[in-house]
């Protein structure tokens, strides 16, 4: 392109080519501008004026004289301030198809204030030679600077700013106005978008779905104003600021602030000699109160990794009266040692008012078992049956491979034996039959059979749980809220959201139980009585047992004094035979299935005997476990502040006001979008309200409302003074690529797969299609046939 044509602006809307051709219809990519004399084809209409003597670095300046105001810069154009000038040139660049940046600024020699600014095209200048010559580990990025001369310069003229430079010419293809939204100079995340992005990001929404939401809200992808990379950069900058502030210190500040707002909230944090955060534990008032009602059985699992430091997430969980998983507090541990578990259990017990659970279920971990034995000596420690069974294929692989019936016999021994004697007999037969008597691993496991074999634990109350599935179900639930790159300060917020969601479901079940009537399956009065006292889920379990009891028959086997023993089995089947012992008052009974002892709900076998004795007209009160009833949480707990009250008092008033206003504005905006007249009227009204709000003075009111009381001040000082030093972040664990799993897998899950064997040479490591022996003797028949002409 010639130097003359570089500095000539063609007004597309008001200029046409001689001969009646409109330049808007010309594809500039097909035209070589160096071969075209623009002076011969530009036809200046009445709406186009050339300002005589306006020399911008030797170029020609063309402006519009439209009555609606200039749409393009010109020499001598005035602006109120620098921001107005930049906004005007940026809007002009967007229409023309390029982006701008600030190239040069000058300060006054007298008072050092800004006196001149030059705005240029983003493709102005060239890449530095030093950057081209440096060694790179990644490919050199594409060049964007190619020496474009387009510029608009402004300088201070009294109290206003005047355009003193304006060059139009570009040495590159200009984009369409729609495509300019992809240029960096026209991209940006607005204030409203930032709030929406952070809300979605905190809720675990990925970037691609955030962009989908922004596109929907903006009316299309081209109207968003930013791309996915901008969203990632914004979120990344937020995360970097958190690291600069200190992730652990931010977590500690959150705990202190939460404790001030909610007295029932408790936390504890360890700090090492270097001031780095160690293990930490926390529990809110709801979790502490829930433990007082449902803390008889607790599951304890430490196999889930949920943060950037790879600190295991350890939830204390149980089951409520709706048979839903609930939390009794949680912790993040820096190490899985006996010392760490001991500290955690002591801290947890202190938070739970010193009440130990009757049963605790964990996976098979020596450090955990040692800590439980030391801190909870009177608690029954059960091992997770699922984790135990997962290790059998690993340690007894030879038995699985050699004996096809081993798995069937072994499963019957574990799951189908009812009494301990039956288990002992079948276990001894398996050891002899499959030659496992010398297996040391099996001997060690057998020595602890009272912790994991169902026959030994049927009489132990476990609220229906035999594994740590409750903890693992919570781990799966938390996957929707956290990920491997989550910082600990963000994790606690996500944890609170997850807990809120769980308690919301509990309230939903409460309302359903109290506002609906269960459907009866039988005409028995005991069923109606159970429906009145049990929660809906508990009633359905009892109802199934009652209905199935009608399929069983009871025969008296023996009588010793007033005690009678009945044999109960299903009609048409002789086995299994359950023994029900009925006391003399015919109100108390025990069954060899021990469902009542294990779960707290009467079994079908006892109900069958009660039916034989015509005792199904009412539900005995001593067979109603309070934890499964509708009123399970009616008992007050004076030592823990009411969690319900603190939920109401802890509402964020600005957030509530904003939410209420947004709901009102949504209806108004919907009406305003129906026509141009309504839209214009709403715009004027909003501008008026905006100015009025800015003029309102809320400083006095806010200072009175936010002024802390003397008691609040003393309380805050006491809490903060307990921990004077700054908490440093724990060491980060770097990873490459996506983590393979958030859950710490057991050895069986990470066991190496069987190596491939070649069917030709019988060697490992390859298949027949890439066997070296075949490759050495040349192509096969199939390969040759591909080259044979038909």
């Amino acid at each position: 392109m010639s130097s003359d044509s570089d500095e000539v602006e063609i007004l597309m809307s008001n200029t046409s080519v001689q001969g009646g051709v409109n330049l808007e219809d010309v594809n500039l990519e097909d035209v070589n501008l160096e071969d075209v004399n623009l002076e011969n084809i530009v036809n200046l209409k009445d709406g186009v004026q050339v300002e005589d003597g306006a020399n911008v670095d030797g170029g020609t300046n063309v402006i519009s004289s439209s009555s609606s105001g200039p749409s393009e810069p010109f020499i001598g154009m005035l602006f109120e301030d620098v921001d107005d000038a930049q906004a005007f040139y940026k809007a002009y660049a967007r229409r023309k198809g390029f982006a701008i940046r600030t190239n040069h600024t000058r300060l006054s020699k007298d008072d050092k204030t800004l006196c001149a600014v030059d705005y240029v095209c983003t493709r102005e200048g060239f890449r530095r030679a030093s950057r081209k010559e440096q060694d790179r580990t990644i490919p050199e990025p594409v060049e964007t600077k190619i020496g474009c001369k387009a510029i608009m310069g402004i300088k201070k003229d009294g109290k206003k700013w005047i355009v003193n430079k304006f060059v139009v010419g570009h040495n590159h293809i200009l984009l369409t106005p729609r495509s300019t939204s992809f240029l960096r100079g026209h991209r940006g995340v607005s204030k409203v978008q930032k709030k929406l992005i952070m809300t979605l990001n905190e809720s675990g929404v990925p970037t691609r779905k955030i962009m989908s939401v922004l596109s929907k809200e903006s009316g299309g992808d081209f109207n968003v104003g930013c791309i996915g990379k901008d969203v990632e950069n914004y979120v990344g900058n937020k995360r970097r600021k958190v690291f600069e502030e200190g992730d652990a210190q931010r977590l500690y500040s959150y705990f202190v602030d939460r404790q001030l707002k909610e007295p029932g909230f408790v936390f504890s944090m360890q700090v090492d000699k270097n001031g780095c955060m160690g293990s930490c534990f926390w529990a809110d008032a709801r979790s502490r109160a829930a433990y007082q009602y449902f803390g008889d059985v607790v599951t304890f699992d430490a196999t889930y990794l949920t943060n950037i430091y790879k600190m295991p997430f350890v939830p204390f969980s149980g089951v409520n009266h709706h048979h839903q998983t609930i939390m009794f507090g949680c912790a993040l541990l820096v190490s899985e040692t006996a010392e760490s578990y001991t500290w955690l259990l002591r801290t947890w017990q202190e938070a739970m008012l010193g009440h130990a659970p009757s049963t605790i279920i964990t996976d098979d971990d020596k450090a955990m078992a040692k800590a439980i034995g030391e801190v909870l000596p009177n608690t029954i420690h059960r091992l997770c049956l699922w984790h135990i069974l997962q290790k059998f294929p690993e340690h007894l692989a030879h038995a699985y491979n050699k004996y096809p019936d081993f798995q069937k016999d072994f499963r019957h021994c574990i799951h189908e034996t009812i009494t301990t004697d039956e288990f002992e007999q079948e276990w001894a037969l398996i050891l002899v039959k499959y030659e496992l008597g010398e297996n040391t691993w099996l001997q060690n496991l057998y020595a602890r059979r009272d912790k994991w074999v169902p026959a030994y634990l049927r009489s132990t109350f476990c609220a229906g749980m035999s594994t740590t599935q409750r903890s693992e179900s919570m781990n799966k639930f938390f996957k929707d809220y956290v990920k491997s790159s989550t910082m600990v300060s963000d994790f606690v917020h996500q944890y609170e959201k997850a807990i809120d969601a769980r308690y919301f479901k509990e309230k939903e079940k409460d309302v359903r139980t109290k506002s609906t009537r269960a459907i009866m399956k039988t005409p028995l009065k005991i069923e109606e009585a159970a429906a009145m006292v049990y929660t809906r889920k508990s009633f359905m379990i009892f109802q199934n047992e009652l209905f199935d009891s009608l399929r069983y028959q009871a025969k008296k086997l023996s009588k010793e004094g007033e005690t009678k023993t009945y044999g109960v089995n299903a009609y048409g089947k002789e086995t299994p035979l359950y023994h029900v012992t009925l006391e003399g008052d015919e109100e108390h009974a025990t069954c060899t299935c021990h469902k009542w002892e294990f779960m707290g709900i009467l079994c079908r076998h006892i109900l069958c005997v009660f039916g034989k004795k015509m005792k199904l007209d009412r539900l005995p009160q001593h067979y109603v476990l309070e934890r499964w009833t509708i009123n399970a949480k009616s008992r007050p707990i004076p030592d823990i502040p009411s969690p319900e009250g603190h939920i109401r008092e802890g509402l964020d008033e600005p957030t509530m006001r904003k939410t209420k206003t947004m709901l009102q504005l949504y209806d108004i905006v919907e009406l305003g979008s129906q026509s141009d007249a309504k839209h214009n009227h709403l715009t004027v009204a909003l501008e008026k309200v905006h100015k009025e709000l800015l003029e309102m003075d809320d400083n006095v009111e806010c200072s009175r409302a936010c002024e802390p009381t003397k008691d609040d001040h003393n309380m805050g000082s006491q809490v903060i003074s307990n921990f004077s030093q700054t908490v440093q972040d724990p060491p980060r664990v770097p990873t490459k690529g996506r983590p393979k799993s958030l859950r710490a897998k057991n050895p069986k899950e990470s066991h190496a797969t069987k190596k491939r064997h070649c069917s030709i040479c019988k060697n490992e490591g390859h298949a027949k299609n890439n066997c070296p022996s075949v490759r050495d003797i040349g192509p096969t028949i199939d390969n040759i046939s591909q080259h044979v002409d038909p």
Side-chain angles (χ1 to χ4, degrees):
M1 183 180 293
S2 64
S3 59
D4 294 336
S5 62
D6 281 350
E7 300 174 357
V8 177
E9 179 184 8
I10 306 173
L11 295 180
M12 297 291 188
S13 59
N14 297 321
T15 308
S16 62
V17 181
Q18 292 180 0
V21 179
N22 192 341
L23 285 180
E24 292 183 353
D25 300 328
V26 177
N27 186 353
L28 295 181
E29 296 180 19
D30 300 330
V31 180
N32 187 356
L33 295 182
E34 292 183 354
D35 301 329
V36 178
N37 187 350
L38 295 179
E39 296 180 358
N40 296 332
I41 66 172
V42 176
N43 183 19
L44 299 178
K45 301 284 187 177
D46 296 336
V48 181
Q49 297 178 352
V50 179
E51 182 173 327
D52 297 332
N55 184 15
V56 185
D57 294 338
T60 305
N61 183 48
V62 184
I63 63 171
S64 171
S65 61
S66 173
S67 59
S68 62
S71 60
E72 301 176 353
F74 57 89
I75 299 298
M77 189 175 185
L78 296 176
F79 296 99
E80 294 294 331
D81 53 38
V82 178
D83 293 337
D84 290 343
Q86 183 179 11
F88 181 85
Y89 192 47
K90 188 174 183 179
Y92 164 77
R94 191 181 189 91
R95 293 193 303 271
K96 292 297 181 181
F98 66 99
I100 67 168
R101 59 179 171 83
T102 302
N103 184 53
H104 187 62
T105 58
R106 287 186 293 275
L107 301 179
S108 174
K109 295 182 180 179
D110 300 330
D111 52 5
K112 301 299 180 181
T113 58
L114 187 67
C115 64
V117 182
D118 289 343
Y119 301 105
V120 298
C121 174
T122 53
R123 310 202 69 176
E124 181 270 345
F126 298 93
R127 177 174 293 175
R128 295 178 181 177
S130 59
R131 294 193 59 187
K132 294 183 178 181
E133 296 173 357
Q134 64 184 359
D135 296 333
R136 297 179 179 272
T137 57
I138 59 176
E140 183 179 0
V142 295
E143 292 193 31
T144 56
K145 296 182 178 182
I146 57 174
C148 183
K149 300 295 184 180
I151 187 174
M152 185 188 84
I154 59 174
K155 68 177 182 179
K156 194 72 176 290
D157 186 15
K159 294 184 178 181
K160 296 191 177 184
W161 294 79
I162 187 172
V163 176
N164 66 326
K165 299 178 185 177
F166 181 53
V167 177
V168 181
H170 295 269
N171 62 350
H172 55 88
I173 298 175
L174 300 180
L175 304 177
T176 62
R178 192 180 189 187
S179 300
T180 53
S181 59
F182 291 101
L183 296 176
R184 182 182 298 180
H186 293 295
R187 296 198 323 255
V189 183
S190 66
K191 185 177 181 180
V192 175
Q193 288 176 333
K194 289 179 179 178
K195 294 182 178 179
L196 180 58
I197 289 171
M198 292 309 300
T199 299
L200 295 175
N201 180 70
E202 290 172 0
S203 300
V205 180
T207 302
R208 57 183 179 82
K209 292 187 177 180
I210 292 178
M211 288 301 300
S212 179
V213 173
L214 295 178
S215 175
K216 181 69 175 178
E217 291 292 320
S218 305
D221 295 338
F222 288 95
N223 300 327
V224 174
C226 61
I227 60 176
K229 189 64 177 178
D230 299 325
V231 174
E232 294 175 356
N233 290 340
Y234 174 69
V235 174
N237 289 335
K238 283 286 186 179
R239 288 171 58 85
R240 280 189 288 273
K241 289 181 180 179
V242 171
F243 278 118
E244 291 174 1
E245 297 172 4
D247 190 19
Q249 185 64 31
R250 188 163 168 252
L251 173 66
Y252 174 72
S253 300
Y254 168 79
F255 283 157
V256 173
D257 182 66
R258 179 78 183 276
Q259 196 171 58
L260 291 174
K261 294 179 180 179
E262 182 185 334
F265 178 87
V266 294
F267 76 95
S268 181
M269 181 183 293
Q270 289 184 317
V271 179
D272 63 15
K273 61 182 180 181
N274 297 321
C276 294
M277 185 191 87
S279 302
C280 65
F281 165 82
W282 71 97
D284 62 357
R286 294 176 298 183
S287 299
R288 298 176 66 202
Y291 179 80
Q292 307 307 313
Y293 300 121
F294 312 112
D296 43 10
V297 182
V298 175
T299 61
F300 183 43
D301 185 25
T303 60
Y304 196 57
L305 310 175
T306 57
N307 52 79
I308 200 169
Y309 309 106
K310 297 297 177 288
M311 299 172 67
F313 167 53
V314 185
F316 292 90
S317 57
V319 59
N320 66 3
H321 52 325
H322 295 290
H323 297 260
Q324 297 171 316
T325 303
I326 53 173
M327 299 294 292
F328 302 139
C330 74
L332 294 170
L333 297 180
V334 292
S335 62
E336 298 179 72
T337 61
E339 291 75 16
S340 294
Y341 287 129
T342 300
W343 170 85
L344 175 59
L345 290 173
R346 293 190 188 280
T347 304
W348 175 67
Q349 275 293 280
E350 183 180 353
M352 301 301 142
L353 307 180
H355 298 160
S358 61
T359 305
I360 187 168
I361 305 174
T362 71
D363 56 352
D364 190 9
D365 183 272
K366 292 182 180 180
M368 197 179 293
K370 181 180 179 181
I372 292 174
E374 180 180 344
V375 182
L376 305 172
N378 299 322
T379 298
I380 298 175
H381 181 203
R382 288 197 57 179
L383 299 179
C384 172
L385 181 60
W386 184 87
H387 282 100
I388 295 293
L389 296 180
Q390 291 299 305
K391 297 179 181 179
F392 272 81
E394 176 189 354
H395 293 276
L396 304 177
H398 62 286
Y400 278 89
N401 296 330
K402 185 176 180 180
Y403 304 104
D405 295 335
F406 174 76
Q407 186 172 2
K408 178 183 176 182
D409 292 345
F410 174 75
R411 187 185 185 283
H412 187 274
C413 175
I414 300 298
H415 295 284
E416 304 299 331
T417 53
I418 299 175
T419 65
T420 56
D421 292 338
E422 291 180 8
F423 169 78
E424 294 291 349
Q425 292 175 4
E426 292 203 15
W427 184 270
L429 290 175
I430 287 177
L431 293 182
V432 174
K433 182 178 179 180
Y434 300 108
E435 303 175 356
L436 296 173
E438 302 298 326
N439 190 292
T440 55
W441 178 82
L442 206 58
Q443 291 175 358
N444 179 267
L445 198 62
Y446 175 76
R448 296 177 292 150
R449 60 192 179 280
D450 59 323
K451 294 182 180 294
W452 63 274
V453 176
Y456 282 89
L457 297 165
R458 293 188 191 278
S459 58
T460 302
F461 180 74
C462 294
M465 297 183 290
S466 61
T467 68
T468 58
Q469 59 183 359
R470 293 287 173 177
S471 296
E472 292 173 8
S473 67
M474 287 302 294
N475 289 340
K476 183 179 179 181
F477 174 73
F478 277 112
K479 287 181 70 174
D480 295 333
Y481 293 86
V482 297
K483 50 189 177 181
S484 60
S485 59
T486 302
M487 296 177 290
V488 292
S489 56
D490 287 337
F491 175 81
V492 292
H493 294 283
Q494 300 302 322
Y495 172 82
E496 292 304 321
K497 290 181 181 180
I499 294 301
D500 289 340
R502 302 301 292 191
Y503 280 101
F504 181 82
K505 289 184 177 295
E506 180 181 323
K507 291 296 182 183
E508 185 180 6
K509 293 294 184 181
D510 284 339
V511 173
R512 183 185 178 191
T513 298
K514 296 177 180 179
S515 62
T516 60
R517 186 176 183 273
I519 303 298
M520 301 295 119
K521 290 184 177 181
T522 71
L524 300 173
K525 292 183 179 180
I526 192 174
E527 185 179 15
E528 294 183 3
M532 295 296 294
V533 67
Y534 283 133
T535 61
R536 189 56 39 80
K537 180 65 176 179
S538 299
F539 168 72
M540 291 177 65
I541 296 174
F542 176 85
Q543 186 184 52
N544 290 335
E545 293 295 321
L546 178 63
F547 187 76
D548 288 339
S549 71
L550 303 178
R551 302 173 183 172
Y552 282 73
Q553 59 182 353
K555 296 179 181 180
K556 187 164 65 172
L557 301 179
S558 63
K559 180 180 180 181
E560 295 182 5
E562 297 295 326
T563 303
K564 302 174 183 178
T565 302
Y566 290 86
V568 181
N569 61 319
Y571 282 107
K573 296 182 179 180
E574 296 183 359
T575 57
L577 182 66
Y578 296 91
H579 294 80
V580 176
T581 303
L582 186 65
E583 300 297 333
D585 58 1
E586 297 185 348
E587 294 285 342
H588 296 79
T590 57
C591 179
T592 51
C593 77
H594 294 293
K595 187 178 183 69
W596 164 252
E597 292 83 1
F598 182 75
M599 190 172 185
I601 294 179
L602 277 176
C603 67
R604 63 193 65 180
H605 316 115
I606 293 179
L607 290 172
C608 177
V609 175
F610 282 171
K612 184 178 181 68
K613 292 294 183 178
M614 307 299 291
K615 295 291 184 179
L616 296 180
D617 56 339
R618 66 185 182 88
L619 179 62
Q621 189 61 36
H622 56 271
Y623 279 124
V624 177
L625 200 62
E626 185 183 13
R627 71 167 348 269
W628 299 130
T629 64
I630 298 173
N631 300 319
K633 299 177 68 174
S634 59
R635 174 169 50 91
I637 304 174
D639 296 327
I640 299 177
S642 173
E644 300 292 335
H646 287 292
I647 290 174
R648 288 192 295 269
E649 294 173 5
L651 290 176
D652 189 354
E653 292 186 1
T655 301
M656 296 300 296
R657 289 196 295 265
K658 182 171 69 174
T659 302
K660 184 178 180 180
T661 305
M662 290 293 291
L663 292 175
Q664 293 175 330
L665 280 175
Y666 186 82
D667 294 333
I668 296 174
V669 171
E670 285 292 323
L671 292 173
S673 62
Q674 294 177 355
S675 65
D676 290 338
K678 291 182 178 181
H679 174 73
N680 294 334
H681 179 73
L682 177 60
T683 302
V684 174
L686 288 177
E687 291 178 353
K688 180 181 177 182
V689 172
H690 187 208
K691 292 179 180 179
E692 292 175 352
L693 290 175
L694 292 175
E695 294 173 357
M696 293 177 65
D697 186 8
D698 286 337
N699 293 332
V700 178
E701 180 181 352
C702 289
S703 61
R704 291 176 180 175
C706 300
E707 184 178 356
T709 62
K710 183 178 180 180
D711 294 337
D712 292 339
H713 178 72
N714 292 337
M715 185 176 183
S717 300
Q718 291 174 0
V719 173
I720 296 174
S721 63
N722 290 336
F723 205 89
S724 58
Q725 70 183 50
T726 301
V727 186
Q728 304 295 329
D729 294 345
R732 294 177 60 182
V733 179
T735 59
K736 296 185 70 175
R738 179 183 180 276
K740 303 207 180 303
S741 176
L742 292 177
R743 191 183 181 281
K745 295 184 178 181
N746 65 43
K748 177 182 178 298
E749 296 176 273
S750 57
H751 191 269
T753 58
K754 187 177 180 180
K755 293 185 178 181
R756 300 168 62 186
H757 283 76
C758 177
S759 59
I760 298 177
C761 67
K762 308 301 181 182
N763 292 327
E764 295 180 352
H766 64 272
K768 66 177 182 179
N769 58 344
N770 58 353
C771 180
S773 61
V774 176
R775 191 183 308 119
D776 293 340
I777 64 175
T780 62
I781 299 299
D782 293 335
N783 291 333
I784 295 174
S785 64
Q786 296 177 5
H787 302 282
V788 178
D789 295 334

